[in-house]
């Protein structure tokens, strides 16, 4: 049973995806900001992370940079799920090897789930 | 004529200039004498008359008079003027000469317009110089001769030098003065230095050479004169020495022997006489005391001279000498043949002789007498005697005197014989006497003594007398016999100076003339250029006008065409009998053909006018090709052709260029391929030909299996109005401009176009275009979710099969191929046995033997556990019943030609396990895009004045599922927008009252940025720049008339893609009955988010409302505090939740707020936030209701 960590400060989003993943028999953990996300990734050891970028305390970009410093999480698949308008942040994560960047504006829940599933299958690395 | 002050000044200046230059000219006169080779005054006088007019004549007269009087008075030229009439005459001559010269110039040259032509210059100088100068030379020399200042014999010489001097003066100085005084001619002033400086330098050089030559000449004359004089002196001295020797010899004879007999004396004396031609006589004169007189006379008698007696010269001849205590008596003598008997004569009786004898006796040296008239000489020939005393041996008493008598003239003549004495006067003066006595004068050159004479003096001693020998060469002789070298140098040099002047004037004149001509030509050229420019402008205007005309015509044609095509479409949508359908189809076909012809002509004329402009925007090559194929889908299916697309995997996904023009070329070539191909296939390929740093060259090829083209016709294909065969036009239609336009377009895109073809073997049209690389294009690639899957492609058409397999491979799918159903089944069984079954099987429907549906059924039947996804490629839409397909297990149906992006989407969806509604989820290109109505009905206003076009638009919109309001002009459109919040306005650009541009501007002003109605221009004015003009007017999109239904659908897609979700921020929709009511929440989306779980939908809705209520409180505070960063953050967050829950209207408003926060533009933030609150109230009301599952949700 794969473990998914959702890091997002919006309970609506986390609510939706907790439901979506749970319905597909994933084990889901929620962190509602980046700081908690850093703690959760070490404790929960997820197989894949669904990451928002725009968050209080530690934002998504900072979270990624921090996590990638840790040998254990070098190849952890991360799907960025954020609002499309934050262009600079999207650019910033392009260099930090994430599997997908999905926009909250247009992406349907099924596509988000599919992206996470694909990431689990193919690993962090985009092929 | 009154004498003006200016005239007076001119006269004074003229006089002074004449006098001074005259004096300067005299300095150049060749000394001795006054032959001057240049008389600058004459040149200055002529120039002055030319420059200032005849009125300066008194100045010339006065100047000339003054210089001549001045010269006469200071005596530098002596004896010149014996009368005042001479300077008067000369002055008159000079004046007349200048006036005459000026007249000649005026008459024969035409002064004031001269000196630009060499002939003019030459004539000026010759007429003013040698011709006019005859006057003064003749007049003045005549006067000089008349008044005796110049001898008649010298008149020719004087005339000549006068004439030459004046002429050279004119030729040298007239140009120099003219260039400085002729003010009206600016070109002259500019060239003053270039004429006068070289001439003055040349003049100075000539004068210097002249001075040197002249002084050398003088020195030479002096040296030669002195040489001759020295020679004279030397000869005289040596002659005198010879006489001395003769005298000594006689003395020696008597000193040697006590007694000398006459017989001994006579031959000796004879010898001497014969040797010395000037010797008159030789004698022995013993001294006898008074006591010895008788005895001596007796002894002389004894010696054979019986008549001998001592005599003296009395008044009447010789008389016996008086008794004195001493006598010096001629004892022996011998004379020339004309001798006179002087034997016995007592020399002491003659005082001059006695003086010499006494001097000789005292000094014991020979002594000569002064000049005497020699005794006995017939004409009293002047001569002198020299006495040498002879003493007894041993210093004893005086015995007597040896004597020589010399005829002076003879001696001198003898001396001078053979010497070059031309021009030399000679004087010999005896300085010994109390008064110097002129002994001899030779004056072949009669002349007054002058300072210029050459003189030489030498002293000759003649037996204790001092003679001065003086040679003179008089100046007059030098003048008449001098070398003309210096004068020739001067005259030649000055002539050369004059020629230099002519040359310079000609060059200057030429330059001036050339400059003038150049200036004229330049002016002409400028004028010509101006004319050309005007002509060009007119031509361009004409071309523009023509282009405008064509554009307008095309507009005029397009408007009714829009009606025809649109209404035909509308007609075709009504129930029709087959016959009526056929007719409607024919109308549609004809209208389409006509429209394409109009488009061709428009494009062609645009390109002819150079008005085709290329855009540079993103192009998705794959989409671009697919769009072209979509257009022809029906025709391809109708003919049963296979269309294969083959894209080079190396090609960048996105490039930049002009997609419309690329589409035009592709469309043209594909259209041709379809037109001329009855059976077989068409392959469209794109290859990367060149990969540069910033751009790439893409080679497109459209290969068909059609009728082909003969080689000679292929060459003419791309030339205007020359289709392969005139009959082709008739058979296949078209203007034949398509390929010409394609060629020009391709060239504009930096490429080439060509064709390879042979009749019967099909054709391959190819072209290359240079496209820019899009920055960051690679990252735009979609996620590759297909990697690693296994697929089988079954198709009997090899090209199509390979192409699809290749494409699958490029997506990371392992694709096997099978050419027919049997082979496919075999391969399928094989892989199932190996435990690696295909996940996807793509099947062509039309195959020989087993068809696609049959194959699908058998695969489904044969398969165990894992069933592959089955995808069917149909050639003709609607040829299969959905039920049949479902029964066969076919999950997806695609229509050939298959767009690769459609294929990719379909495969992604199949693999993701998304529910696919039977076989309807196809990428059928002509189906109305469902996306356009997905998010609720947008409110659409159509502003269009043409009722037929209104009908067309209404019909087309209904096909898209959209109800729209219509207005007839721009003013009504503005009013409508004010009263009802339209989401999208289709705006015709040409409308009465207020056109589309103006209406858009008013709408934008009204909106004030608070909202943004999406305005799409509709224009038949399909000229370049039209699109820019529409966008500049504030419109968002652009459609060319006639409106293509697909283009309209695409415009709606763009509208939604640009965040144009349907929004209703207006507080109270003013329109009483909105055409479409939109729920504030996209229920399908909400249910989707809730994973179709009815409980969770409720939960999610509550969660959303709770969250948003909370966030809105914070947002309200942030808005109140104008905290831009906080507004941005909160709006961003709310937007995410809203979007995810399908609360699209609110999400769009949050987006606006977020933007405002980011940009710090908070002017409108209150208004928008108020809208948010109102919309949120609506959402809240809506979500608090029971949440129904939408009926349409399964249709996604």
């Amino acid at each position: 049973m794969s473990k998914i960590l959702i890091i997002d400060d919006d309970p609506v989003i986390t609510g939706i995806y907790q439901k979506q993943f749970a319905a597909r028999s994933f084990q889901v953990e929620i962190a509602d900001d980046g700081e908690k996300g850093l703690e959760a990734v070490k404790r929960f050891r997820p197989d894949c992370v669904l990451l928002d970028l725009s968050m209080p305390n530690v934002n998504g970009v900072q979270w990624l940079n921090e996590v990638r410093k840790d040998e254990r999480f070098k190849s952890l698949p991360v799907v960025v799920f954020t609002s499309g308008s934050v262009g600079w942040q999207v650019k910033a994560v392009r260099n930090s090897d994430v599997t997908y960047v999905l926009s909250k504006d247009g992406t349907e829940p099924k596509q988000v789930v599919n992206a996470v599933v694909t990431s689990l299958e193919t690993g962090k690395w985009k092929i | 004529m009154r004498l003006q002050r200016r005239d007076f000044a001119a006269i004074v200046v003229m006089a002074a200039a004449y006098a001074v230059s005259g004096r300067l000219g005299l300095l150049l006169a060749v000394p001795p004498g006054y032959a001057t080779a240049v008389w600058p005054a004459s040149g200055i006088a002529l120039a002055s008359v030319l420059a200032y007019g005849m009125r300066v004549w008194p100045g010339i007269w006065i100047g000339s008079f003054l210089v001549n009087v001045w010269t006469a008075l200071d005596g530098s030229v002596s004896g010149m003027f014996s009368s005042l009439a001479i300077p008067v005459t000369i002055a008159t001559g000079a004046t007349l000469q200048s006036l005459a010269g000026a007249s000649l110039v005026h008459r024969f040259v035409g002064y004031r317009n001269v000196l630009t032509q060499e002939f003019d210059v030459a004539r000026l100088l010759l007429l003013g110089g040698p011709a006019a100068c005859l006057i003064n030379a003749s007049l003045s020399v005549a006067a000089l001769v008349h008044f005796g200042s110049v001898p008649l014999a010298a008149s020719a010489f004087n005339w000549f030098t006068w004439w030459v001097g004046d002429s050279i003066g004119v030729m040298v100085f007239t140009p120099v003065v003219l260039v400085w005084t002729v003010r009206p001619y600016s070109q002259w002033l500019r060239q003053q230095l270039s004429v006068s400086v070289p001439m003055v330098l040349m003049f100075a050089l000539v004068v210097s050479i002249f001075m040197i030559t002249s002084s050398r000449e003088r020195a030479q004359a002096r040296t030669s004169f002195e040489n001759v004089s020295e020679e004279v002196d030397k000869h005289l001295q040596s002659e005198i020495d010879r006489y001395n020797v003769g005298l000594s010899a006689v003395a020696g004879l008597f000193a040697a022997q006590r007694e000398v007999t006459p017989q001994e004396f006579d031959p000796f004396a004879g010898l001497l006489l014969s040797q010395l031609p000037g010797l008159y006589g030789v004698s022995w004169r013993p001294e006898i005391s008074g006591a010895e007189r008788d005895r001596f006379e007796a002894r002389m008698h004894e010696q054979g001279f019986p008549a001998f007696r001592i005599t003296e010269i009395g008044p009447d001849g010789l008389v016996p000498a008086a008794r004195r205590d001493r006598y010096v008596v001629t004892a022996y003598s011998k004379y020339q043949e004309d001798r006179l008997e002087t034997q016995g004569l007592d020399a002491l009786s003659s005082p001059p002789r006695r003086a010499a004898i006494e001097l000789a006796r005292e000094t014991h040296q020979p002594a000569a007498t002064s000049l005497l008239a020699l005794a006995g000489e017939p004409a009293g020939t002047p001569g002198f005697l020299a006495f040498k005393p002879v003493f007894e041996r041993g210093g004893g008493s005086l015995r007597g005197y040896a004597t020589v008598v010399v005829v002076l003239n003879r001696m001198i003549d003898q001396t001078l014989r053979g010497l070059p004495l031309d021009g030399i006067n000679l004087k010999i003066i005896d300085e010994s006497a109390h008064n110097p006595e002129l002994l001899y004068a030779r004056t072949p050159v009669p002349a007054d003594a002058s300072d210029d004479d050459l003189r030489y003096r030498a002293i000759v001693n003649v037996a204790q007398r001092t003679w001065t020998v003086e040679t003179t060469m008089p100046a007059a002789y030098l003048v008449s016999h001098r070398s003309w070298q210096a004068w020739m140098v001067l005259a030649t040099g000055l002539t050369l100076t004059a020629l230099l002047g002519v040359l310079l004037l000609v060059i200057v004149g030429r330059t001036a003339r050339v400059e003038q001509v150049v200036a004229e030509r330049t002016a002409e050229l400028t004028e010509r250029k101006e004319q050309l420019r005007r002509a060009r402008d007119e031509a361009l205007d004409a071309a523009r006008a023509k282009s405008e005309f064509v554009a307008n015509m095309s507009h005029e044609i397009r408007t009714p065409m829009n009606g025809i095509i649109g209404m035909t479409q509308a007609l075709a949508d009504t129930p029709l009998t087959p016959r009526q359908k056929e007719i409607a189809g024919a109308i549609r076909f004809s209208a389409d053909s006509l429209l394409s012809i109009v488009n061709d002509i428009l494009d062609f004329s645009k390109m002819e006018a150079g008005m085709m402009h290329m855009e540079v925007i993103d192009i998705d090559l794959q989409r671009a090709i697919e769009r072209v194929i979509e257009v022809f889908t029906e025709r391809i299916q109708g003919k049963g052709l296979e269309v294969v697309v083959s894209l080079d995997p190396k090609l960048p996904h996105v490039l930049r260029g002009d997609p419309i023009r690329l589409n035009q070329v592709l469309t043209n070539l594909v259209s041709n391929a379809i037109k001329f191909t009855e059976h077989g296939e068409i392959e469209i390929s794109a290859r990367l030909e060149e990969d540069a740093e910033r751009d790439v060259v893409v080679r497109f090829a459209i290969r068909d299996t059609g009728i082909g083209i003969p080689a000679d016709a292929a060459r003419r294909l791309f030339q205007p109005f020359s289709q392969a065969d005139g009959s082709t036009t008739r058979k296949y239609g078209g203007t034949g401009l398509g390929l010409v336009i394609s060629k020009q377009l391709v060239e504009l895109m930096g490429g080439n176009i060509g064709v390879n073809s042979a009749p019967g073997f099909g054709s391959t049209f190819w072209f290359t275009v240079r496209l820019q690389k899009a920055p960051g294009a690679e990252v735009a690639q979609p996620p590759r979710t297909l990697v690693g899957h296994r697929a089988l492609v079954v198709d009997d058409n090899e090209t199509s099969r390979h192409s699809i397999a290749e494409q699958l491979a490029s997506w990371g799918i392992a694709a096997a191929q099978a050419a027919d159903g049997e082979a496919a089944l075999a391969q399928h069984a094989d892989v199932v046995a190996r435990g690696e079954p295909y996940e996807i099987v793509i099947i062509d429907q039309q195959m020989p033997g087993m068809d696609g549906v049959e194959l699908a059924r058998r695969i489904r039947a044969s398969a165990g556990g894992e069933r592959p996804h089955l995808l069917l490629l149909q050639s003709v839409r609607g040829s299969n019943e959905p039920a049949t397909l479902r029964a066969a297990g076919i999950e997806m149906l695609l229509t050939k030609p298959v767009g690769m992006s459609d294929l990719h989407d379909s495969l992604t969806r199949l693999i993701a396990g998304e529910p696919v509604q039977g076989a309807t989820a196809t990428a059928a290109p002509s189906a109305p895009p469902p996306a356009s109505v997905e998010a609720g009905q947008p409110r659409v206003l159509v502003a269009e004045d043409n009722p037929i076009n209104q009908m067309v638009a209404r019909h087309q919109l209904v096909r898209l599922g959209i109800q729209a309001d219509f207005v007839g002009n721009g003013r009504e459109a503005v009013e409508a927008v004010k009263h009802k919040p339209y989401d999208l306005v289709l705006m015709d650009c040409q409308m009465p009252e207020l056109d589309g541009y103006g209406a858009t501007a008013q709408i934008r002003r009204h909106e004030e940025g608070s909202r943004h109605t999406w305005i799409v221009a509709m224009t038949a004015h399909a000229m370049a720049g039209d699109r820019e003009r529409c966008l500049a007017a504030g419109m968002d999109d652009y459609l060319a008339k006639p409106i293509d239904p697909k283009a309209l659908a695409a415009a709606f897609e763009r509208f939604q893609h640009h965040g144009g979700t349907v929004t209703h921020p207006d507080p109270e929709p003013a329109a009483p009955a909105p055409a479409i009511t939109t729920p504030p929440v996209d229920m399908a989306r909400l249910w989707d988010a809730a994973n179709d779980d009815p409980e969770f939908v409720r939960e999610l809705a509550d969660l959303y409302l709770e969250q948003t209520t909370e966030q809105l409180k914070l947002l309200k505070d942030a808005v109140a505090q104008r905290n831009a960063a906080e507004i941005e953050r909160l709006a961003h967050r709310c937007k995410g939740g809203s979007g995810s829950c399908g609360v699209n209207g609110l999400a769009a408003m949050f987006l606006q707020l977020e933007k405002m926060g980011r940009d710090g533009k908070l002017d409108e933030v209150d208004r928008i936030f108020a809208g948010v609150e109102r919309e949120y109230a609506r959402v809240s009301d809506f979500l608090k209701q029971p949440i129904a599952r939408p009926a349409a949700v399964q249709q996604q």
Side-chain angles (χ1 to χ4, degrees), chain B residues 778-791:
Chain B
E778 298 306 323
V779 296
Q781 286 191 9
R784 297 187 169 179
T785 53
L786 299 173
V787 174
H789 293 280
R790 296 175 298 278

Side-chain angles (χ1 to χ4, degrees), chain A residues 9-20 23-24 52 54-56 81-86 88-89 94 99-100 102 104-111 114-115 118 121-122 127, chain B residues 779 782-785 787 789 908 912 914-915 1085 1087-1093 1095-1096 1099-1100 1103-1105 1107-1108 1128-1129 1132-1141 1151 1154 1158 1196:
Chain A
D9 61 333
D10 187 341
V12 176
I13 302 291
T14 53
I16 291 170
Y17 288 98
Q18 184 168 35
K19 185 78 185 171
Q20 291 280 350
R24 286 169 178 76
D52 185 22
S54 176
M55 289 182 296
F81 185 52
T82 189
S83 194
S85 57
V86 284
W88 67 270
Q89 288 175 329
R94 284 262 155 80
T99 319
Y100 292 108
L102 302 176
K104 281 182 185 171
D105 298 335
T107 314
E108 292 167 21
K110 282 192 196 77
Q111 290 171 308
N114 276 341
T118 309
E121 286 169 1
T122 58
I127 298 158
Chain B
V779 296
R784 297 187 169 179
T785 53
V787 174
H789 293 280
T908 310
E914 286 178 30
R1085 184 70 197 265
W1087 276 89
D1088 202 16
N1091 204 26
D1092 276 342
D1093 183 333
E1095 277 177 42
F1096 186 56
E1099 207 178 304
L1100 182 61
L1103 179 63
Y1104 170 75
L1105 289 173
Q1107 277 295 313
T1108 311
E1128 181 194 354
R1129 190 185 71 78
H1132 176 81
R1133 185 176 154 172
C1134 290
K1135 185 190 68 178
S1138 301
S1140 294
C1141 293
L1151 176 63
E1154 186 190 346
R1158 182 161 60 246
Q1196 289 298 306

Side-chain angles (χ1 to χ4, degrees), chain B residues 117-289:
Chain B
Q117 302 265 8
E118 55 267 50
F119 287 119
D120 287 343
V121 176
R123 269 197 299 228
L124 170 85
L125 296 185
L126 290 176
L127 289 173
C133 292
L134 293 169
I135 294 174
N136 200 21
S138 308
L139 205 57
S140 301
V141 172
L144 287 172
V145 172
H146 177 74
F147 290 101
S149 285
V150 169
L152 188 59
S155 63
F157 167 78
N158 268 277
W159 180 90
F160 180 72
T161 53
W162 197 296
W163 175 70
V164 169
D166 273 11
S167 298
I168 291 177
V170 166
M171 292 198 289
V172 174
F173 287 92
T174 300
V176 174
V177 175
L178 280 181
V179 294
W180 284 96
T181 54
V182 181
R183 288 196 180 78
Y185 295 98
S186 52
Q187 76 266 31
W188 276 57
L189 287 174
R190 270 191 290 127
Q191 309 293 353
Q192 280 166 351
L193 294 180
S194 53
V195 172
S196 53
V197 168
M199 284 194 73
V200 168
L201 286 178
M202 180 81 175
F203 183 77
L205 179 71
V206 168
V207 168
S208 306
I209 294 173
F210 162 71
M211 292 289 195
I212 293 164
T213 315
S214 177
S215 80
R216 271 187 54 196
E217 197 178 77
R218 244 177 98 71
Q220 215 171 8
R222 173 168 291 282
T223 308
S224 118
F225 165 74
E226 282 173 356
N227 285 345
V228 172
S229 300
E230 275 171 22
E231 203 68 5
V232 168
D233 178 34
K234 244 190 277 176
H235 277 234
L236 189 58
Q237 190 71 58
S238 75
E239 193 68 14
I240 285 166
D241 286 349
R242 285 172 69 198
Y243 284 89
N244 229 348
V245 169
L247 181 60
S248 297
V250 175
L253 178 66
F254 285 91
Q257 52 192 97
R258 192 71 189 93
E259 288 297 333
V260 177
T261 64
Q263 290 72 32
E264 285 169 335
F265 174 76
D266 207 48
F268 184 79
L271 184 65
L272 279 181
L273 282 173
S274 69
Q275 284 178 348
L276 299 170
L279 197 60
Y280 186 65
V282 182
S283 55
W284 165 249
R285 300 182 191 214
E287 190 181 72
I288 296 156
S289 64

